[in-house]
Amino acid sequence: MHLAPRDTQAFRGNFTYRNSRKAIERFPFPFPEDDYRYSVNIEPHRLPGPKGSVYEHMLDIDEHYLSETAERDMVLMQDPGRCLAMPHMEPACWDLVEFVMSCYAKDYPEHFSFERQGDECLWENRPLKIQQRFRFGDPASLPLPPMEYIGRQMQGDFALLDQRHGDLFMDAGVITSPADWSLAFDAGMSFKQWHGPVPLAHEMGVFERALKYLCAIQAGGPVRRLNWTMTIHPRMDSSPETYHEWGRDRTTITPDNVGKDVFLRVELQTLVRMPRSHALFFGIRTYLISLDDLVTNQVWARRLHRVLKGLPQALVDYKGLSRYRGTLVEWLSQYDDDVEPREYSSIGSTT
Amino acid sequence: MSASLSVRVASIETITPVIKQFTLASTGTPLPPFSPGSHIVVTLPIRERMCRNAYSLLGDPADNGLYHIAVRRQDASRGGSRYLHEEVKVGDRLTVSSPANLFLPSWEARHHLLIAGGIGMTPFMSYLHEFRRRGVSYELHCAFRDSATGDYRAWLEQQAGQRLYCYESERPDFTRLLAEKPLGTHVYVCGPDAMLQAVIAAARDLGWGSGRVHYEAFAGPQPGRPFVARLARSGGEIAVEGESSLLEALEAYGVEVPNLCRGGVCGQCRTVVVEGQVEHRDSFLDDSEKQRHRAIMPCVSRAQSDTLILDL
Ligand code: HEM
Ligand code: FES
């Protein structure tokens, strides 16, 4: 896999983020239907997934690896509170070190290697030019605390959830590209507490069922789901802490800049049981695609039009689309000829 | 649910006349690590059907490479433990599940009170390794039906020292045990059902919140009366023998039911009952659900009536 050069202006300032043709093709488009409603959309993360797809490996890495890790460094420098590990999560942090290093080394051997003899470990991250010997379980043998050490080398955010009393608690993580939520605010909260702001889903019983399912996840049985929202400019860090920097962007959308400035933002969330600590790993890989790139796929363009048109107002408000949904739907309508695509024609009709 | 692993029996030790310890090694890629309190499900081919038994992993979770299980020979059982005792030899291959954990220590506890009956000490053996590493406060009470727990008792004495309390023939006074404990204590019990119920009742009477009471309930399926399971949706009819669980009978018939613990605790195998009376043996459904006879956990529960119609 080819990695694009490190670029500190990809997700801020000049917003130089660009997707290659290949990145567009493998974009995880999240809508299986013209209607979008919340549901318990969790499925087994069966490996390996289709070759070249974002599901091929346990943890997906793509061409933006260097720019995203650079962005992570900048965010953490400005706000160290994006990284949190409560003391009782120490064993989970070591589980994470082993999990990430062995997955990266196994799935991307051209970029990473990980060797372990007893507790003596050797880790190599060639793209970031890191070579590190350390003793497994000994924090003094690493230049940073274990979770932060490996967390800074990961593409994508993650939380480590402690499981107790049949519930999950947000007790550790590195979150530098949240879709408008804050790790510092959610720290220590339970599953239903941190999902508090989400509309409709609680009443539908979505979180009740999801939590039961998540608590039963066992080592060796990872699962995944997709979540989505929209962002103006390819801005990874849309956190409440920096709202003053990006909030007003939502008022700038016009028919002329929709295609260039509005991005569909999809999160591939993977849930993996950490084997020794029994903590749950919750990985969030975020994929951004400009609408100009998205509409190069006719099926996606038509479907996104229909999804946005029919999206319940509560979801429009929650996802922060209220100011520009109208402009967006109008612009997308040019890609929806309103003729029912064949797959949707009713069964038995003889046309 | 969790992937299955092929393992080789690396050694077999006789701990007592009725308990054997099996050490299992990988046959290729290293065995996955596990957390304290984990178990594996061992698949055994017994007379044309597959018998699956769950056993706690009693080794050190920090050790990579080997799994250790203790198998008590249950003469009343469906043959799984007898098969392991009599048929399985060093060098044999076995199929086991990846480790799963339904009995994890609550690390936020200020003090851990462990209560074991007989072979019920095995999940606590993996706890003790991790407790030592973390330096947590605990005590272990073991009731032995017979003094025949040999090497395990010696090992526990060596690990736990002053924190080990043994009971030979008398039963511990659970109410007194629990009453003396500081706030923030969690109690864990693993052993025969009567012991579980007694500890749960004592905790309830003392006003302990259920979040502080943990139990490992799976006893594995016990034999019972034969009955017929009829499948309402697919239309099949399955004779469930006394020696086989309903879940095993369904699997042999080609019906996949999600499952995990195979011991009536995880809730994964819950199946809707259309008609019939259920003999509930699980710890997942609550009392009112059990009385309605509209759901069954087929991994352990059976039928009271001659026929059970399932929504499958
Ligand atoms: C344990 C892992 C999970 C974590 C750490 C997590 C975290 C979060 C967070 C922080 C939010 C933002 C809430 C806010 O507005 O402040 C959120 C939103 C949401 N979560 Fe989760 N979540 C997890 C698992 C799940 C699962 C399994 C589901 C399955 C249904 C789910 C469904 C949702 C939905 C529907 C939203 C609203 C998203 C939107 O409309 O943009 N979450 N989650
Ligand atoms: S498999 Fe767990 S309750 Fe039946």
Side-chain angles (χ1 to χ4, degrees):
Chain A
M1 182 211 358
H2 173 75
L3 303 183
R6 182 176 191 273
D7 181 352
T8 56
Q9 295 285 301
F11 307 107
R12 55 177 70 208
N14 301 333
F15 293 111
T16 50
Y17 175 88
R18 298 288 176 276
N19 279 316
S20 69
R21 196 63 236 163
K22 191 170 160 236
I24 296 171
E25 274 160 21
R26 74 199 293 275
F27 186 82
F29 188 74
F31 305 113
E33 297 168 338
D34 288 351
D35 261 332
Y36 178 80
R37 297 288 181 273
Y38 286 148
S39 65
V40 187
N41 58 334
I42 318 176
E43 63 185 310
H45 189 28
R46 283 216 183 79
L47 299 171
K51 208 165 162 39
S53 77
V54 300
Y55 309 119
E56 180 176 0
H57 301 304
M58 177 71 92
L59 299 170
D60 184 51
I61 288 182
D62 63 23
E63 60 193 29
H64 304 297
Y65 177 79
L66 287 172
S67 301
E68 279 192 43
T69 44
E71 168 73 11
R72 217 161 164 68
D73 275 346
M74 289 186 283
V75 174
L76 283 167
M77 186 127 62
Q78 285 155 9
D79 183 1
R82 304 300 187 86
C83 171
L84 161 87
M86 295 186 185
H88 66 276
M89 298 304 279
E90 176 84 6
C93 295
W94 284 105
D95 263 343
L96 176 86
V97 168
E98 186 176 26
F99 168 66
V100 176
M101 289 182 180
S102 31
C103 287
Y104 276 11
K106 173 172 155 293
D107 294 332
Y108 310 97
E110 71 276 35
H111 296 310
F112 307 94
S113 73
F114 178 50
E115 283 162 44
R116 186 172 171 172
Q117 285 282 335
D119 284 339
E120 298 303 319
C121 303
L122 175 60
W123 163 246
E124 203 178 341
N125 178 334
R126 287 181 278 275
L128 291 179
K129 303 187 172 60
I130 293 171
Q131 219 189 33
Q132 180 73 46
R133 277 184 197 284
F134 65 98
R135 224 164 311 104
F136 196 81
D138 177 6
S141 64
L142 284 173
L144 287 170
M147 182 194 73
E148 182 176 351
Y149 175 76
I150 193 62
R152 282 174 178 266
Q153 300 178 44
M154 287 167 68
Q155 187 176 7
D157 285 348
F158 67 89
L160 291 171
L161 297 315
D162 192 27
Q163 183 166 328
R164 22 181 224 270
H165 318 319
D167 206 338
L168 296 165
F169 296 86
M170 206 175 299
D171 290 350
V174 179
I175 304 286
T176 57
S177 53
D180 202 5
W181 65 280
S182 156
L183 177 64
F185 184 79
D186 288 356
M189 283 190 185
S190 70
F191 189 75
K192 285 186 196 153
Q193 283 170 340
W194 80 63
H195 280 118
V198 181
L200 307 180
H202 292 268
E203 301 86 304
M204 292 163 66
V206 164
F207 292 125
E208 186 88 35
R209 274 174 287 141
L211 177 60
K212 243 187 177 171
Y213 187 100
L214 299 189
C215 286
I217 291 177
Q218 296 293 344
V223 304
R224 65 172 185 242
R225 66 180 290 267
L226 294 178
N227 190 43
W228 70 278
T229 187
M230 303 194 101
T231 299
I232 309 305
H233 306 306
R235 187 188 294 277
M236 275 290 190
D237 181 18
S238 55
S239 54
E241 288 89 347
T242 53
Y243 182 81
H244 56 278
E245 292 172 27
W246 56 270
R248 64 165 294 281
D249 289 351
R250 291 167 171 175
T251 64
T252 62
I253 299 308
T254 65
D256 294 333
N257 64 18
V258 167
K260 191 170 98 352
D261 286 356
V262 179
F263 285 72
L264 177 63
R265 175 183 190 121
V266 174
E267 297 175 353
L268 169 56
Q269 306 178 340
T270 40
L271 293 128
V272 187
R273 180 67 65 194
M274 295 289 99
R276 291 199 184 85
S277 61
H278 207 67
L280 195 64
F281 166 85
F282 179 73
I284 315 168
R285 257 306 317 269
T286 297
Y287 301 83
L288 296 168
I289 189 169
S290 71
L291 289 200
D292 275 343
D293 282 345
L294 185 137
V295 300
T296 59
N297 181 321
Q298 286 180 16
V299 178
W300 292 355
R302 183 167 51 209
R303 175 142 307 155
L304 183 62
H305 175 241
R306 296 176 184 196
V307 164
L308 288 175
K309 209 165 142 184
L311 198 65
Q313 191 59 42
L315 267 66
V316 174
D317 294 338
Y318 173 70
K319 289 178 185 285
L321 318 178
S322 317
R323 298 295 292 265
Y324 59 92
R325 171 168 66 160
T327 314
L328 205 55
V329 170
E330 180 56 33
W331 184 80
L332 282 167
S333 68
Q334 62 184 304
Y335 302 97
D336 191 349
D337 46 20
D338 259 337
V339 176
E340 287 287 297
R342 220 182 274 134
E343 56 193 291
Y344 298 110
S345 62
S346 58
I347 297 164
S349 69
T350 50
T351 40
Chain B
M1 271 253 116
S2 37
S4 64
L5 312 165
S6 166
V7 295
R8 184 176 49 81
V9 177
S11 65
I12 303 176
E13 278 172 75
T14 301
I15 305 296
T16 78
V18 292
I19 299 176
K20 281 189 177 177
Q21 175 171 314
F22 293 79
T23 298
L24 310 174
S26 104
T27 55
T29 48
L31 297 174
F34 62 96
S35 48
S38 294
H39 70 267
I40 54 173
V41 176
V42 182
T43 302
L44 301 164
I46 300 174
R47 282 180 275 121
E48 282 127 59
R49 71 188 171 80
M50 289 297 168
C51 166
R52 296 186 173 91
N53 284 1
Y55 295 101
S56 297
L57 293 174
L58 43 89
D60 183 350
D63 256 354
N64 286 314
L66 297 173
Y67 291 163
H68 306 278
I69 58 172
V71 179
R72 188 191 164 91
R73 197 191 149 110
Q74 314 272 11
D75 287 320
S77 89
R78 307 160 318 121
S81 65
R82 208 177 318 149
Y83 183 89
L84 277 162
H85 269 251
E86 290 172 8
E87 308 286 334
V88 174
K89 303 274 174 298
V90 171
D92 284 359
R93 299 278 171 119
L94 292 175
T95 301
V96 305
S97 69
S98 296
N101 197 336
L102 303 166
F103 195 46
L104 187 81
S106 279
W107 295 114
E108 78 279 16
R110 294 252 198 84
H111 182 71
H112 303 264
L113 169 59
L114 314 179
I115 302 175
I119 193 77
M121 72 178 74
T122 52
F124 297 138
M125 294 171 75
S126 65
Y127 278 32
L128 294 199
H129 292 283
E130 193 66 27
F131 280 6
R132 179 171 36 80
R133 246 186 312 276
R134 296 192 185 205
V136 302
S137 159
Y138 74 92
E139 63 193 71
L140 170 58
H141 297 258
C142 283
F144 303 107
R145 237 180 308 165
D146 33 44
S147 48
T149 19
D151 287 356
Y152 283 169
R153 180 153 172 182
W155 185 84
L156 292 175
E157 271 162 7
Q158 180 208 332
Q159 286 287 312
Q162 299 287 306
R163 289 168 290 203
L164 177 69
Y165 302 81
C166 295
Y167 304 78
E168 299 292 345
S169 45
E170 89 277 30
R171 187 184 185 196
D173 179 346
F174 298 126
T175 306
R176 196 184 53 79
L177 262 186
L178 268 68
E180 289 167 350
K181 295 299 164 276
L183 216 67
T185 299
H186 283 231
V187 63
Y188 307 78
V189 53
C190 184
D193 193 53
M195 176 183 253
L196 251 59
Q197 298 308 329
V199 171
I200 293 167
R204 192 186 45 228
D205 292 347
L206 289 167
W208 285 42
S210 61
R212 291 167 59 202
V213 183
H214 312 270
Y215 44 94
E216 175 86 301
F218 62 73
Q222 300 295 315
R225 244 167 34 86
F227 63 99
V228 172
R230 204 175 291 155
L231 309 182
R233 271 193 268 161
S234 49
E237 204 170 274
I238 305 169
V240 185
E241 291 167 37
E243 293 277 289
S244 153
S245 74
L246 173 54
L247 180 62
E248 286 166 354
L250 289 166
E251 286 171 338
Y253 191 76
V255 182
E256 286 295 325
V257 178
N259 66 84
L260 186 59
C261 68
R262 306 183 77 92
V265 291
C266 75
Q268 293 283 311
C269 69
R270 183 193 163 103
T271 302
V272 172
V273 175
V274 180
E275 205 182 298
Q277 294 289 106
V278 181
E279 183 190 332
H280 293 288
R281 295 173 166 192
D282 65 280
S283 334
F284 181 78
L285 299 173
D286 63 30
D287 289 344
S288 73
E289 281 179 298
K290 285 183 179 170
Q291 277 155 23
R292 267 181 273 136
H293 294 277
R294 282 298 161 263
I296 184 171
M297 312 309 293
C299 60
V300 289
S301 298
R302 312 180 60 87
Q304 284 176 21
S305 44
D306 292 335
T307 308
L308 213 53
I309 304 183
L310 304 173
D311 185 24
L312 285 173

